[in-house]
Amino acid sequence: MPRAGETIANPATGETLTWVVTAADSGGSLLRVDVVMEPGRPGPPVHVHRAFPEHHDVKAGRLAIELDGQERVLEAGATIDIPRGAQHTFRVVGDEQVRTVVDYAPPGRYEDFIDRLYALAREGKTDDKGAPRNILQTAVVARAHLDEFALARPPFAVQKALFVLLAPIGRLAGFR
């Protein structure tokens, strides 16, 4: 269970995350994380958060945010609000680390999703973009967190149907 002040690393993506405010700390109303991203690494795939908006407060470096197909580069001091359900991704621009404080409100179980993906990366069970290597592992994690994180494509209904079918098989195969 994440605790405020605890730092975790994702060796696949080069991200280091510090839990600032957890859902437990805020009675379920807020998750705040302080994220440091390394240059030269791919960002996450284009995705949506169906359950909550996302707010970035860039503290250092240059962060490119692609929001609904349009890219915007943010520098230290800039903020951006990503509406719930908006397609987006991000990446580091240039050779400097990016540090951004990100709020998710209300976060649902998103911190569990992040914690699990970072743990899989530390165990060597993800690809170089941080996605689980095994489709059954992906299905187990995704089925539990599809409202918090879904890919922009294929359509949500297709993802949901696929993971509903594959997650039980994954659990039977021992994936958690």
Side-chain angles (χ1 to χ4, degrees):
M1 168 177 269
R3 282 180 275 218
E6 179 182 36
T7 298
I8 59 174
N10 184 326
T13 63
E15 295 173 348
T16 303
L17 178 148
T18 301
W19 307 105
V20 179
V21 177
T22 67
D25 296 333
S26 68
S29 66
L30 173 69
L31 171 62
R32 176 171 291 151
V33 295
D34 190 331
V35 183
V36 175
M37 295 176 270
E38 297 296 328
R41 300 291 188 96
V46 178
H47 61 279
V48 299
H49 304 294
R50 294 168 46 91
F52 49 77
E54 177 176 333
H55 172 83
H56 283 262
D57 182 356
V58 179
K59 301 297 186 183
R62 298 177 69 220
L63 179 66
I65 301 266
E66 181 185 314
L67 178 58
D68 291 329
Q70 296 198 349
E71 186 173 270
R72 186 171 153 198
V73 176
L74 306 174
E75 299 194 16
T79 64
I80 190 169
D81 290 306
I82 299 169
R84 180 173 61 104
Q87 295 184 13
H88 67 285
T89 188
F90 51 85
R91 65 182 174 80
V92 174
V93 175
D95 297 330
E96 293 180 40
Q97 288 181 330
V98 165
R99 180 172 160 248
T100 184
V101 175
V102 189
D103 289 349
Y104 307 93
R109 297 181 50 232
Y110 192 53
E111 67 190 15
D112 296 332
F113 174 77
I114 294 169
D115 198 39
R116 185 66 196 131
L117 281 185
Y118 276 45
L120 288 170
R122 289 190 303 273
E123 294 165 9
K125 296 179 180 177
T126 64
D127 63 20
D128 61 351
K129 295 180 182 177
R133 294 182 191 276
N134 185 295
I135 187 65
L136 295 176
Q137 177 72 74
T138 299
V140 169
V141 174
R143 176 68 180 109
H145 298 285
L146 206 49
D147 281 337
E148 288 98 10
F149 185 99
L151 297 174
R153 288 186 251 349
F156 179 77
V158 171
Q159 292 178 64
K160 186 173 183 176
L162 180 66
F163 297 141
V164 162
L165 292 172
L166 291 178
I169 297 167
R171 283 191 295 279
L172 285 173
F175 294 104
R176 299 284 173 254

PDB file of all heavy atoms in Angstrom, residues 43-48 66-69 86-90 149-153 159:
ATOM      1  N   GLY A  43       7.160   8.032 -23.785  1.00  0.00           N
ATOM      2  CA  GLY A  43       6.074   8.257 -22.837  1.00  0.00           C
ATOM      3  C   GLY A  43       5.093   7.101 -22.916  1.00  0.00           C
ATOM      4  O   GLY A  43       5.275   6.163 -23.691  1.00  0.00           O
ATOM      5  N   PRO A  44       4.051   7.157 -22.111  1.00  0.00           N
ATOM      6  CA  PRO A  44       3.046   6.090 -22.163  1.00  0.00           C
ATOM      7  C   PRO A  44       2.271   6.154 -23.479  1.00  0.00           C
ATOM      8  O   PRO A  44       2.300   7.172 -24.176  1.00  0.00           O
ATOM      9  CB  PRO A  44       2.136   6.423 -20.979  1.00  0.00           C
ATOM     10  CG  PRO A  44       2.269   7.892 -20.798  1.00  0.00           C
ATOM     11  CD  PRO A  44       3.692   8.217 -21.168  1.00  0.00           C
ATOM     12  N   PRO A  45       1.583   5.080 -23.818  1.00  0.00           N
ATOM     13  CA  PRO A  45       0.746   5.137 -25.016  1.00  0.00           C
ATOM     14  C   PRO A  45      -0.381   6.154 -24.818  1.00  0.00           C
ATOM     15  O   PRO A  45      -0.694   6.529 -23.677  1.00  0.00           O
ATOM     16  CB  PRO A  45       0.183   3.716 -25.122  1.00  0.00           C
ATOM     17  CG  PRO A  45       0.244   3.170 -23.734  1.00  0.00           C
ATOM     18  CD  PRO A  45       1.442   3.814 -23.086  1.00  0.00           C
ATOM     19  N   VAL A  46      -0.959   6.598 -25.915  1.00  0.00           N
ATOM     20  CA  VAL A  46      -2.102   7.505 -25.811  1.00  0.00           C
ATOM     21  C   VAL A  46      -3.194   6.758 -25.041  1.00  0.00           C
ATOM     22  O   VAL A  46      -3.529   5.620 -25.356  1.00  0.00           O
ATOM     23  CB  VAL A  46      -2.594   7.948 -27.199  1.00  0.00           C
ATOM     24  CG1 VAL A  46      -3.815   8.858 -27.068  1.00  0.00           C
ATOM     25  CG2 VAL A  46      -1.478   8.654 -27.964  1.00  0.00           C
ATOM     26  N   HIS A  47      -3.700   7.422 -24.006  1.00  0.00           N
ATOM     27  CA  HIS A  47      -4.639   6.765 -23.103  1.00  0.00           C
ATOM     28  C   HIS A  47      -5.671   7.749 -22.586  1.00  0.00           C
ATOM     29  O   HIS A  47      -5.582   8.954 -22.844  1.00  0.00           O
ATOM     30  CB  HIS A  47      -3.895   6.114 -21.930  1.00  0.00           C
ATOM     31  CG  HIS A  47      -3.139   7.090 -21.089  1.00  0.00           C
ATOM     32  ND1 HIS A  47      -1.892   7.575 -21.443  1.00  0.00           N
ATOM     33  CD2 HIS A  47      -3.434   7.679 -19.909  1.00  0.00           C
ATOM     34  CE1 HIS A  47      -1.461   8.420 -20.518  1.00  0.00           C
ATOM     35  NE2 HIS A  47      -2.384   8.517 -19.571  1.00  0.00           N
ATOM     36  N   VAL A  48      -6.646   7.220 -21.850  1.00  0.00           N
ATOM     37  CA  VAL A  48      -7.674   8.043 -21.216  1.00  0.00           C
ATOM     38  C   VAL A  48      -7.874   7.573 -19.780  1.00  0.00           C
ATOM     39  O   VAL A  48      -7.637   6.415 -19.451  1.00  0.00           O
ATOM     40  CB  VAL A  48      -9.033   7.974 -21.960  1.00  0.00           C
ATOM     41  CG1 VAL A  48      -8.915   8.487 -23.376  1.00  0.00           C
ATOM     42  CG2 VAL A  48      -9.595   6.577 -21.961  1.00  0.00           C
ATOM     43  N   GLU A  66       0.557  15.680 -25.256  1.00  0.00           N
ATOM     44  CA  GLU A  66      -0.327  15.569 -26.398  1.00  0.00           C
ATOM     45  C   GLU A  66      -1.727  15.368 -25.846  1.00  0.00           C
ATOM     46  O   GLU A  66      -1.978  14.422 -25.102  1.00  0.00           O
ATOM     47  CB  GLU A  66       0.053  14.385 -27.275  1.00  0.00           C
ATOM     48  CG  GLU A  66      -0.838  14.251 -28.498  1.00  0.00           C
ATOM     49  CD  GLU A  66      -0.530  13.017 -29.306  1.00  0.00           C
ATOM     50  OE1 GLU A  66       0.659  12.748 -29.560  1.00  0.00           O
ATOM     51  OE2 GLU A  66      -1.488  12.318 -29.671  1.00  0.00           O
ATOM     52  N   LEU A  67      -2.613  16.286 -26.154  1.00  0.00           N
ATOM     53  CA  LEU A  67      -3.979  16.264 -25.640  1.00  0.00           C
ATOM     54  C   LEU A  67      -4.936  16.334 -26.818  1.00  0.00           C
ATOM     55  O   LEU A  67      -4.904  17.318 -27.580  1.00  0.00           O
ATOM     56  CB  LEU A  67      -4.192  17.436 -24.679  1.00  0.00           C
ATOM     57  CG  LEU A  67      -5.561  17.616 -24.063  1.00  0.00           C
ATOM     58  CD1 LEU A  67      -5.982  16.372 -23.279  1.00  0.00           C
ATOM     59  CD2 LEU A  67      -5.572  18.842 -23.148  1.00  0.00           C
ATOM     60  N   ASP A  68      -5.728  15.289 -26.984  1.00  0.00           N
ATOM     61  CA  ASP A  68      -6.678  15.201 -28.092  1.00  0.00           C
ATOM     62  C   ASP A  68      -6.015  15.501 -29.436  1.00  0.00           C
ATOM     63  O   ASP A  68      -6.541  16.236 -30.269  1.00  0.00           O
ATOM     64  CB  ASP A  68      -7.882  16.117 -27.852  1.00  0.00           C
ATOM     65  CG  ASP A  68      -8.757  15.606 -26.705  1.00  0.00           C
ATOM     66  OD1 ASP A  68      -8.822  14.374 -26.508  1.00  0.00           O
ATOM     67  OD2 ASP A  68      -9.367  16.439 -26.015  1.00  0.00           O
ATOM     68  N   GLY A  69      -4.813  14.935 -29.629  1.00  0.00           N
ATOM     69  CA  GLY A  69      -4.120  15.045 -30.906  1.00  0.00           C
ATOM     70  C   GLY A  69      -3.271  16.276 -31.117  1.00  0.00           C
ATOM     71  O   GLY A  69      -2.599  16.399 -32.127  1.00  0.00           O
ATOM     72  N   ALA A  86     -10.251  12.521 -21.754  1.00  0.00           N
ATOM     73  CA  ALA A  86      -9.491  13.091 -22.869  1.00  0.00           C
ATOM     74  C   ALA A  86      -8.318  12.184 -23.240  1.00  0.00           C
ATOM     75  O   ALA A  86      -7.597  11.702 -22.370  1.00  0.00           O
ATOM     76  CB  ALA A  86      -8.973  14.480 -22.514  1.00  0.00           C
ATOM     77  N   GLN A  87      -8.123  11.993 -24.528  1.00  0.00           N
ATOM     78  CA  GLN A  87      -6.981  11.212 -25.000  1.00  0.00           C
ATOM     79  C   GLN A  87      -5.713  12.026 -24.823  1.00  0.00           C
ATOM     80  O   GLN A  87      -5.648  13.178 -25.260  1.00  0.00           O
ATOM     81  CB  GLN A  87      -7.164  10.848 -26.469  1.00  0.00           C
ATOM     82  CG  GLN A  87      -8.328   9.927 -26.714  1.00  0.00           C
ATOM     83  CD  GLN A  87      -8.432   9.504 -28.171  1.00  0.00           C
ATOM     84  OE1 GLN A  87      -7.526   9.696 -28.972  1.00  0.00           O
ATOM     85  NE2 GLN A  87      -9.571   8.916 -28.516  1.00  0.00           N
ATOM     86  N   HIS A  88      -4.703  11.408 -24.196  1.00  0.00           N
ATOM     87  CA  HIS A  88      -3.461  12.143 -23.959  1.00  0.00           C
ATOM     88  C   HIS A  88      -2.274  11.212 -23.750  1.00  0.00           C
ATOM     89  O   HIS A  88      -2.430  10.023 -23.502  1.00  0.00           O
ATOM     90  CB  HIS A  88      -3.608  13.068 -22.748  1.00  0.00           C
ATOM     91  CG  HIS A  88      -3.771  12.343 -21.448  1.00  0.00           C
ATOM     92  ND1 HIS A  88      -4.944  11.717 -21.081  1.00  0.00           N
ATOM     93  CD2 HIS A  88      -2.911  12.123 -20.438  1.00  0.00           C
ATOM     94  CE1 HIS A  88      -4.803  11.158 -19.892  1.00  0.00           C
ATOM     95  NE2 HIS A  88      -3.562  11.378 -19.472  1.00  0.00           N
ATOM     96  N   THR A  89      -1.098  11.794 -23.865  1.00  0.00           N
ATOM     97  CA  THR A  89       0.159  11.159 -23.504  1.00  0.00           C
ATOM     98  C   THR A  89       1.146  12.284 -23.201  1.00  0.00           C
ATOM     99  O   THR A  89       0.811  13.464 -23.326  1.00  0.00           O
ATOM    100  CB  THR A  89       0.689  10.227 -24.617  1.00  0.00           C
ATOM    101  OG1 THR A  89       1.828   9.508 -24.106  1.00  0.00           O
ATOM    102  CG2 THR A  89       1.079  10.984 -25.872  1.00  0.00           C
ATOM    103  N   PHE A  90       2.351  11.918 -22.797  1.00  0.00           N
ATOM    104  CA  PHE A  90       3.366  12.923 -22.473  1.00  0.00           C
ATOM    105  C   PHE A  90       4.750  12.344 -22.702  1.00  0.00           C
ATOM    106  O   PHE A  90       4.930  11.132 -22.777  1.00  0.00           O
ATOM    107  CB  PHE A  90       3.207  13.422 -21.029  1.00  0.00           C
ATOM    108  CG  PHE A  90       3.133  12.316 -20.016  1.00  0.00           C
ATOM    109  CD1 PHE A  90       4.281  11.741 -19.485  1.00  0.00           C
ATOM    110  CD2 PHE A  90       1.911  11.836 -19.588  1.00  0.00           C
ATOM    111  CE1 PHE A  90       4.210  10.713 -18.566  1.00  0.00           C
ATOM    112  CE2 PHE A  90       1.825  10.807 -18.657  1.00  0.00           C
ATOM    113  CZ  PHE A  90       2.989  10.246 -18.149  1.00  0.00           C
ATOM    114  N   PHE A 149      -7.460   3.661 -16.291  1.00  0.00           N
ATOM    115  CA  PHE A 149      -6.505   3.753 -17.396  1.00  0.00           C
ATOM    116  C   PHE A 149      -6.960   2.833 -18.520  1.00  0.00           C
ATOM    117  O   PHE A 149      -7.005   1.616 -18.346  1.00  0.00           O
ATOM    118  CB  PHE A 149      -5.102   3.329 -16.932  1.00  0.00           C
ATOM    119  CG  PHE A 149      -4.030   3.515 -17.977  1.00  0.00           C
ATOM    120  CD1 PHE A 149      -3.222   4.632 -17.935  1.00  0.00           C
ATOM    121  CD2 PHE A 149      -3.829   2.583 -18.976  1.00  0.00           C
ATOM    122  CE1 PHE A 149      -2.218   4.812 -18.888  1.00  0.00           C
ATOM    123  CE2 PHE A 149      -2.837   2.752 -19.937  1.00  0.00           C
ATOM    124  CZ  PHE A 149      -2.030   3.866 -19.884  1.00  0.00           C
ATOM    125  N   ALA A 150      -7.280   3.416 -19.665  1.00  0.00           N
ATOM    126  CA  ALA A 150      -7.626   2.636 -20.858  1.00  0.00           C
ATOM    127  C   ALA A 150      -6.862   3.218 -22.042  1.00  0.00           C
ATOM    128  O   ALA A 150      -6.608   4.431 -22.091  1.00  0.00           O
ATOM    129  CB  ALA A 150      -9.128   2.695 -21.132  1.00  0.00           C
ATOM    130  N   LEU A 151      -6.479   2.373 -22.959  1.00  0.00           N
ATOM    131  CA  LEU A 151      -5.841   2.855 -24.174  1.00  0.00           C
ATOM    132  C   LEU A 151      -6.849   3.638 -25.002  1.00  0.00           C
ATOM    133  O   LEU A 151      -8.054   3.389 -24.930  1.00  0.00           O
ATOM    134  CB  LEU A 151      -5.295   1.678 -24.986  1.00  0.00           C
ATOM    135  CG  LEU A 151      -4.198   0.861 -24.309  1.00  0.00           C
ATOM    136  CD1 LEU A 151      -3.854  -0.357 -25.165  1.00  0.00           C
ATOM    137  CD2 LEU A 151      -2.969   1.708 -24.049  1.00  0.00           C
ATOM    138  N   ALA A 152      -6.346   4.570 -25.807  1.00  0.00           N
ATOM    139  CA  ALA A 152      -7.233   5.339 -26.685  1.00  0.00           C
ATOM    140  C   ALA A 152      -7.797   4.446 -27.795  1.00  0.00           C
ATOM    141  O   ALA A 152      -8.908   4.661 -28.259  1.00  0.00           O
ATOM    142  CB  ALA A 152      -6.490   6.520 -27.285  1.00  0.00           C
ATOM    143  N   ARG A 153      -7.025   3.437 -28.209  1.00  0.00           N
ATOM    144  CA  ARG A 153      -7.451   2.463 -29.206  1.00  0.00           C
ATOM    145  C   ARG A 153      -6.979   1.103 -28.784  1.00  0.00           C
ATOM    146  O   ARG A 153      -5.894   1.008 -28.234  1.00  0.00           O
ATOM    147  CB  ARG A 153      -6.854   2.804 -30.579  1.00  0.00           C
ATOM    148  CG  ARG A 153      -7.500   4.019 -31.215  1.00  0.00           C
ATOM    149  CD  ARG A 153      -7.001   4.239 -32.612  1.00  0.00           C
ATOM    150  NE  ARG A 153      -6.134   5.301 -32.991  1.00  0.00           N
ATOM    151  CZ  ARG A 153      -5.746   6.376 -32.332  1.00  0.00           C
ATOM    152  NH1 ARG A 153      -6.091   6.546 -31.126  1.00  0.00           N
ATOM    153  NH2 ARG A 153      -4.988   7.279 -32.871  1.00  0.00           N
ATOM    154  N   GLN A 159     -11.762  -3.260 -25.583  1.00  0.00           N
ATOM    155  CA  GLN A 159     -10.826  -3.539 -24.494  1.00  0.00           C
ATOM    156  C   GLN A 159     -11.540  -4.232 -23.340  1.00  0.00           C
ATOM    157  O   GLN A 159     -11.043  -5.226 -22.795  1.00  0.00           O
ATOM    158  CB  GLN A 159     -10.190  -2.245 -23.984  1.00  0.00           C
ATOM    159  CG  GLN A 159      -9.273  -1.588 -24.975  1.00  0.00           C
ATOM    160  CD  GLN A 159      -8.718  -0.290 -24.446  1.00  0.00           C
ATOM    161  OE1 GLN A 159      -7.994  -0.275 -23.465  1.00  0.00           O
ATOM    162  NE2 GLN A 159      -9.076   0.820 -25.101  1.00  0.00           N
TER     163      GLN A 159
END
